[in-house]
Amino acid sequence: MSTELDPTDKEILRILQKDATLTNKELAFKLNKSIATVHERIKKLKEQGYIKRIVAILDRKKIDKGLIAFPQVLLKEHTAEALIEFEKEVAKFTEVMECFQLTGSSDFILRIATSDMDSYHLFLRNKLATLPNISTVQSFFVLSETKSDTAYPI
């Protein structure tokens, strides 16, 4: 179980969400804490699951992932086994960046990154559409990106 965060833990998380490349020494200076304190708090935040992983966020266009699609998927069956099987199989596709189960008229929404419409078409036809139990897929395509943030407000 996670415990309540104190103001120092919250500030560490705020700072790391914006720049996880900072050293413990740099963080300690910003927080007016000792390096050892910062080190132990970050270790604790990782152990408690607040920090799941530390990654580099890439410019998708520079790595040829210029098309973002959001397909909404409706399944034929809604048994626990069918839902779990869909999640397990769709997670194997490298194009799938995120998969969320929804309430409402669709069962899942995916965030797909491909180089272009032809690549998306191949993904849809040769991967997603081959999964069993899919009733409908309705795809939405990103025209422009106004905001893309990875930091949660704390």
Side-chain angles (χ1 to χ4, degrees):
M1 286 287 166
S2 55
T3 58
E4 189 66 29
L5 296 173
D6 70 13
T8 300
D9 289 334
K10 289 179 181 180
E11 192 59 26
I12 288 171
L13 292 175
R14 279 187 205 100
I15 292 168
L16 289 178
Q17 284 190 102
K18 297 203 181 304
D19 186 359
T21 65
L22 294 174
T23 66
N24 287 345
K25 182 178 179 180
E26 292 167 324
L27 279 168
F29 179 77
K30 285 180 176 279
L31 297 166
N32 198 26
K33 302 286 182 191
S34 74
I35 297 170
T37 297
V38 168
H39 174 77
E40 285 303 314
R41 284 181 178 256
I42 291 173
K43 181 179 171 187
K44 178 188 73 163
L45 290 166
K46 287 178 180 178
E47 288 170 354
Q48 293 177 343
Y50 286 101
I51 299 172
K52 292 169 66 172
R53 63 184 180 207
I54 296 173
V55 300
I57 299 171
L58 308 180
D59 182 329
R60 66 181 172 83
K61 292 177 182 174
K62 289 186 178 189
I63 59 166
D64 196 28
K65 300 296 178 203
L67 182 73
I68 299 296
F70 288 93
Q72 292 181 349
V73 179
L74 178 64
L75 301 181
K76 294 175 192 171
E77 295 179 32
H78 297 91
T79 64
E81 295 81 17
L83 296 170
I84 291 168
E85 181 66 16
F86 175 81
E87 291 169 334
K88 185 180 83 171
E89 292 303 313
V90 81
K92 294 177 184 176
F93 300 142
T94 58
E95 297 88 349
V96 176
M97 304 302 294
E98 294 179 289
C99 174
F100 298 101
Q101 187 177 9
L102 304 173
T103 62
S105 60
S106 295
D107 295 313
F108 292 91
I109 189 166
L110 311 175
R111 181 169 62 95
I112 308 298
T114 62
S115 57
D116 54 28
M117 189 61 79
D118 289 337
S119 297
Y120 180 77
H121 179 246
L122 290 172
F123 163 77
L124 179 62
R125 178 170 286 189
N126 299 329
K127 292 183 177 181
L128 188 59
T130 65
L131 296 181
N133 197 32
I134 291 181
S135 171
T136 306
V137 176
Q138 184 176 11
S139 299
F140 299 88
F141 299 96
V142 172
L143 297 176
S144 67
E145 188 175 294
T146 304
K147 181 178 179 180
S148 179
D149 204 345
T150 61
Y152 293 103
I154 300 176

